[in-house]
Amino acid sequence: MSAVSASSIRREEGVARLDSRPLDKVRALQWTLYRCAEQEPERRFHALYGHVHRMDVLWRAWSGVCTNRGAPGVDGVTVDAVVSSGVEEFLQDLAERLRTGTYRPLPLRRVKIPKPGRPGELRPLSIPTVTDRVVMTAAKLVLEPLFEADFLPVSYGFRPRRSAIDACEAVRIEANRGREWVVEADIRDCFGTIDHEALVIQIARRVSDRKMLKLIRGWLRVGVLEGGVSASTGAGTPQGSPISPLLANVALHVLDEAWQREGRRLGALIRYADDYVALCPSRERAEQARDLSGRVLAGLGLRLHPDKTGIIYLARGEQGFDFLGFHHRKVESWRRRGRFYLQRWPSARAMRVLRDKIRAATASSKTERPVSAVVADLNPVLRGWAAYFRNGNSARKFNAIDGYVHERLATFASRKHSLPGRNWTTRYTHGWISRLGVYHLTGNVHWGTVHASR
């Protein structure tokens, strides 16, 4: 199960009282639930709600909420405000409200944020209160082991010890085995349109505890507050809440099961939450795979986006596709001419998003800031981006980003010191950029994923 080390929890403000003993009890609870669910695939669990209001579980949930921080909900209460008023009292009061059945979730605060790399498009986020986030995290700690025992290997998103890079590696392996027809799927507003009853039916396959089911229904139906107006939600999971990824995985497990029954002859399914691709040996099977997934998703109230779902042919690098931030395409081997292997590198959108961040940090409106301060802001962004995309054939893209950072910082310094002209390459050399301590992406590509010069 996913876990946070006791030492890291102690470093977080507001969770200093949490020692290793209750954390071990939570792990023991999760392991017991997982083992029972794995050994008895048909078992429905009836005594779960009582674990949600256990103080050790709530402390563990609080540590996760405290670490993630996040914006306040409709009540305006922040994590820092809870710390100031006393975490122990906050959790004891919450446990009592859960025990007595007086806990009620508050409406979600709806905000819209720009979609990275898509100018003009906004993504709606539904932000629960700090109190609701703690209860949702506690419920996730209890429920996750039950469903984790059922989830299939084709699912990679928001699961312990699985990552987006693992999913990309699975894509590479399947494509290199000859499955060169790819169903590139896009579920239209997955988190916002999942049918509530269909979702609860899937949860009830493992959970018979009526109080736990009532708690989940309450979160699904609580509604959102936007512009001072409250509106009910007839479908969807609250995108932005701690339990939403688990609920989405529970719902989409139906697709994984259908694929195991009917789709294995068609090809390989690789799913990361609501993003998935199917790699098939022929166009005919790819079309059947697309139709199968469409039928299954319709039972959950979901639809494939007609304009963003298509079939890609990978042979000899004819076409490529974007998946999990990478562009995947077959490239001819420089060692074995005539042989093509699937490679991946940062997609055009991923490059555009990073360039936008670099451009914003070095904008002419910020020339009053020291160059060292701009570098201090840029380095974490560059380091985090490189840590993800180093697991690919990203050398050329990394070189391009290093050059762009150099150009933007040199232009920024020229404006700052009122130096005319565009001869920044001679004025601000590689030695200058190195002395600033700028994080260099070049040379950080993981060697195990490099199979050609890309």
Side-chain angles (χ1 to χ4, degrees):
M1 300 295 98
S2 56
V4 181
S5 67
S7 60
S8 66
I9 290 175
R10 290 194 192 98
R11 286 197 296 269
E12 288 297 329
E13 186 180 21
V15 293
R17 295 171 187 245
L18 184 61
D19 59 24
S20 60
R21 263 187 321 181
L23 188 63
D24 289 340
K25 287 184 179 180
V26 175
R27 286 176 178 156
L29 169 66
Q30 290 185 301
W31 173 245
T32 300
L33 291 171
Y34 175 81
R35 187 176 54 194
C36 292
E38 186 180 42
Q39 292 174 351
E40 303 178 68
E42 302 300 322
R43 178 176 174 180
R44 299 177 69 215
F45 291 77
H46 67 279
L48 299 173
Y49 184 80
H51 297 302
V52 175
H53 55 71
R54 278 173 38 173
M55 282 301 293
D56 54 351
V57 174
L58 289 174
W59 268 112
R60 171 73 177 282
W62 165 257
S63 74
V65 172
C66 190
T67 300
N68 294 331
R69 312 301 287 180
V74 294
D75 59 358
V77 176
T78 62
V79 169
D80 290 336
V82 174
V83 171
S84 300
S85 61
V87 179
E88 182 81 36
E89 295 78 9
F90 168 77
L91 294 181
Q92 286 179 348
D93 175 69
L94 181 54
E96 181 63 22
R97 288 162 58 194
L98 288 166
R99 271 194 298 269
T100 58
T102 57
Y103 163 79
R104 296 290 184 275
L106 291 178
L108 306 163
R109 184 168 69 89
R110 175 63 58 85
V111 296
K112 294 181 179 179
I113 61 173
K115 285 188 176 181
R118 295 182 180 178
E121 293 189 39
L122 299 175
R123 174 193 298 165
L125 286 182
S126 303
I127 303 174
T129 64
V130 173
T131 299
D132 292 336
R133 292 208 293 270
V134 172
V135 182
M136 288 175 177
T137 305
K140 179 178 178 287
L141 290 171
V142 175
L143 291 172
E144 186 178 49
L146 308 181
F147 295 104
E148 188 62 33
D150 295 336
F151 289 158
L152 298 173
V154 300
S155 171
Y156 291 86
F158 304 104
R159 295 184 59 192
R161 296 185 295 275
R162 292 189 147 229
S163 69
I165 299 303
D166 294 332
C168 289
E169 276 297 289
V171 170
R172 183 179 67 85
I173 291 169
E174 294 298 337
N176 287 340
R177 285 176 176 170
R179 290 171 170 170
E180 297 182 322
W181 292 90
V182 181
V183 179
E184 185 185 19
D186 184 279
I187 302 176
R188 175 177 279 174
D189 190 17
C190 176
F191 285 88
T193 57
I194 292 177
D195 182 82
H196 286 171
E197 287 307 311
L199 173 57
V200 173
I201 287 172
Q202 295 307 313
I203 296 171
R205 291 171 61 181
R206 275 300 201 177
V207 179
S208 61
D209 188 328
R210 286 162 55 174
K211 288 185 177 180
M212 181 65 86
L213 292 173
K214 181 181 178 182
L215 188 66
I216 295 170
R217 282 194 176 98
W219 291 327
L220 293 175
R221 298 172 179 173
V222 71
V224 297
L225 186 67
E226 185 176 9
V229 178
S230 181
S232 61
T233 54
T237 62
Q239 188 173 0
S241 72
I243 202 170
S244 186
L246 175 62
L247 297 181
N249 269 338
V250 170
L252 293 173
H253 179 63
V254 176
L255 175 61
D256 304 342
E257 287 183 313
W259 195 270
Q260 189 175 48
R261 290 192 311 268
E262 307 172 47
R264 294 177 71 178
R265 64 179 180 82
L266 303 177
L269 175 71
I270 292 122
R271 183 176 66 81
Y272 190 92
D274 60 328
D275 291 331
Y276 72 91
V277 292
L279 290 92
C280 307
S282 68
R283 183 176 186 89
E284 180 184 4
R285 293 190 183 185
E287 291 172 349
Q288 292 173 6
R290 181 188 56 196
D291 295 342
L292 171 62
S293 59
R295 289 197 309 271
V296 174
L297 293 172
L300 298 169
L302 302 174
R303 289 191 301 159
L304 293 175
H305 198 298
D307 299 328
K308 298 180 181 179
T309 299
I311 296 176
I312 306 298
Y313 187 44
L314 296 176
R316 303 186 68 82
E318 287 193 16
Q319 292 177 294
F321 65 97
D322 292 347
F323 183 56
L324 301 179
F326 286 95
H327 181 73
H328 303 254
R329 185 183 289 267
K330 284 205 165 183
V331 174
E332 187 176 15
S333 172
W334 59 272
R335 286 184 178 177
R336 304 176 68 183
R337 292 300 178 184
R339 298 293 297 272
F340 286 75
Y341 298 95
L342 192 74
Q343 297 187 7
R344 62 179 183 269
W345 51 86
S347 67
R349 181 184 173 193
M351 294 286 287
R352 185 166 60 250
V353 169
L354 181 60
R355 284 196 175 101
D356 287 346
K357 291 179 180 180
I358 296 168
R359 188 162 50 249
T362 56
S364 57
S365 60
K366 297 184 178 181
T367 51
E368 76 283 353
R369 303 189 68 209
V371 177
S372 59
V374 174
V375 171
D377 289 344
L378 274 177
N379 277 347
V381 175
L382 296 173
R383 190 175 289 111
W385 196 86
Y388 180 72
F389 288 106
R390 71 186 294 264
N391 298 286
N393 310 88
S394 306
R396 289 185 180 178
K397 301 298 183 182
F398 278 19
N399 290 341
I401 291 299
D402 280 344
Y404 187 69
V405 171
H406 189 173
E407 178 183 352
R408 290 296 304 180
L409 283 173
T411 305
F412 179 86
S414 296
R415 288 198 189 104
K416 181 176 180 64
H417 300 295
S418 301
L419 298 174
R422 296 186 57 82
N423 59 334
W424 57 266
T425 53
T426 55
R427 184 183 298 135
Y428 298 106
T429 62
H430 180 75
W432 173 78
I433 204 86
S434 297
R435 287 192 297 273
L436 282 175
V438 177
Y439 181 80
H440 290 286
L441 279 71
T442 301
N444 281 306
V445 175
H446 185 253
W447 67 271
T449 57
V450 178
H451 303 288
S453 176
R454 248 320 171 193

